Amino acid sequence: LEIFIPETHLGQLRHALQSVDAGHLGNYDSCLAYSRVTGSWRPLPGASPYDGTIGVLAEAPELKVELRVSAARLEKTIAAIRAVHPYETPEIFILPLLN
């Protein structure tokens, strides 16, 4: 998975991922990587943005969080992410791996 989230919410996200055992690799859990990125967006009429103003292009620092999740844990993992994510529409990418 790739998840984009404000840095202020990394601890909450990490706890949510641990609660559903996402990022479990062999004899390790809580395995993830994150890097700082800059996100941009423009809220449209009807949006309820976490940050930004309707009709105005916004930019802010975010974290891109990456981790492996088994297909069996995917549904619970997505639900756990949505429960703690502050964005109205969280940006979550599901990338299937071949190995």
Side-chain angles (χ1 to χ4, degrees), residues 34-53:
Y34 61 88
S35 54
R36 288 174 174 80
V37 298
T38 300
S40 70
W41 64 94
R42 183 174 64 158
L44 300 175
S48 178
Y50 167 76
D51 187 15
T53 303

Side-chain angles (χ1 to χ4, degrees), residues 16 20 34 40 43 47 56 64 75 78 81 83 89 96:
V20 293
Y34 61 88
S40 70
V56 178
K64 176 184 176 183
E75 190 173 316
I78 298 296
I81 294 166
T89 307

Side-chain angles (χ1 to χ4, degrees), residues 1 3 5 9-24 29-32 65 67-69 73-86 92:
L1 293 179
I3 306 153
I5 194 164
H9 288 72
L10 179 61
Q12 293 174 14
L13 177 63
R14 189 179 307 222
H15 182 72
L17 294 170
Q18 288 172 338
S19 76
V20 293
D21 202 26
H24 190 129
D29 73 357
S30 306
C31 300
L32 59 80
V65 179
L67 70 149
R68 291 181 80 164
V69 177
R73 292 188 177 109
L74 186 58
E75 190 173 316
K76 286 184 179 182
T77 300
I78 298 296
I81 294 166
R82 290 186 187 280
V84 299
H85 205 293
I92 304 166

